[in-house]
Amino acid sequence: MSQKRILYISQEITPYLEETPMGIFSRWLPQRIQENGSDVRIFMPRYGLINERRHQLHEVIRLSGINIIVNDTDYPLIIKVASVPQSRIQVYFIDNDEFFKRKSQFGIEEKYGNDTADRSIFFVHGVFEAIKKLRWIPDVIHCVGWFGALAPAYLKTIYKDDPCFSKAKIVYSPFEKEEEGELSEKIMEALHFDGIENELVTPMNGAYTPEAIRRMAIAHCDGVVMPEKIAQSALLEYAKECNKPILEYPGDLKENVQKFQDFYDSLVD
């Protein structure tokens, strides 16, 4: 079996923010999958909360310099990278002074208004454009959390014919408790600009919330991985209603990494 290329997109990764179940999952699953023989890349936002000096972030000049258009406005993309301590894992950070300089994950600054949707769209576009510039073609894209959850819809529309992504399968993982931001109806305008409209946004049910974005991700992904054990999950039930392939929580990452690998393989092979 040929080596798989797995791209991880997560809204938070340990140790760059305060430790959470999502951060731990997004830290260790890529490492276990890499140790299992896959080629891995990881992306997250470069929030202003991240201490660049402590974590030794540095700009990747050859990947920076792209302009990302969000709702008819150009924003410069900056890519930074850091090595996870005591591992062979590197994390790429999507950065832009206007969107990610603020000292919070999803806080709203008065001078920018509610730009949470624009920040999320910039993040997703930034990851895909960086991957194109890396000339690294993923087999599977695993998206974790609501902030990058627009990735499945963008992969199936704007990037569907791009040779870097045309064969990629996308997996989504929601967490029961996630750090959330406030969205507004402005998200529809930004999505409309990119051609994400009509039946593509139907899963949102007219809501402008992180939960609505998670539903949209499930509707457009190729498979769902439940990253934690939950007695009742509305999103898991929704995934079943959508007839998505599902990997329910398989247990400890270290002991069950092959179950994750097998799930990825089942989507690609």
Side-chain angles (χ1 to χ4, degrees), residues 90-102:
Q90 285 190 318
V91 177
Y92 292 90
F93 296 84
I94 299 296
D95 198 5
N96 170 273
D97 283 349
E98 183 166 325
F99 287 146
F100 295 113
K101 197 170 185 178
R102 64 198 71 172

Side-chain angles (χ1 to χ4, degrees), residues 108-166:
I108 295 170
E109 291 197 354
E110 186 175 346
K111 61 181 176 179
Y112 299 127
N114 188 336
D115 61 350
T116 307
D118 289 354
R119 297 172 77 220
S120 175
I121 291 169
F122 179 87
F123 174 52
V124 169
H125 269 306
V127 172
F128 287 151
E129 293 300 324
I131 287 295
K132 286 169 62 176
K133 208 161 186 180
L134 277 170
R135 296 181 180 178
W136 184 84
I137 300 175
D139 297 296
V140 174
I141 300 170
H142 191 160
C143 182
V144 183
W146 78 272
F147 192 64
L150 293 172
Y154 276 81
L155 184 70
K156 297 301 175 65
T157 53
I158 292 175
Y159 293 96
K160 68 178 180 179
D161 296 323
D162 190 291
C164 276
F165 304 107
S166 59

Side-chain angles (χ1 to χ4, degrees), residues 40-110:
V40 166
R41 297 288 185 276
I42 315 171
F43 282 80
M44 72 171 284
R46 203 288 299 167
Y47 308 107
L49 292 169
I50 296 171
N51 187 317
E52 293 197 21
R53 181 176 295 178
R54 179 191 307 153
H55 296 295
Q56 300 180 358
L57 273 67
H58 60 273
E59 185 174 351
V60 185
I61 302 297
R62 68 187 179 92
L63 297 180
S64 300
I66 305 168
N67 269 24
I68 304 290
I69 300 174
V70 179
N71 207 8
D72 207 23
T73 301
D74 280 10
Y75 299 94
L77 172 65
I78 300 169
I79 305 289
K80 295 176 180 176
V81 70
S83 296
V84 177
Q86 300 176 328
S87 79
R88 295 172 54 221
I89 294 285
Q90 285 190 318
V91 177
Y92 292 90
F93 296 84
I94 299 296
D95 198 5
N96 170 273
D97 283 349
E98 183 166 325
F99 287 146
F100 295 113
K101 197 170 185 178
R102 64 198 71 172
K103 298 295 183 181
S104 66
Q105 274 185 264
F106 307 121
I108 295 170
E109 291 197 354
E110 186 175 346

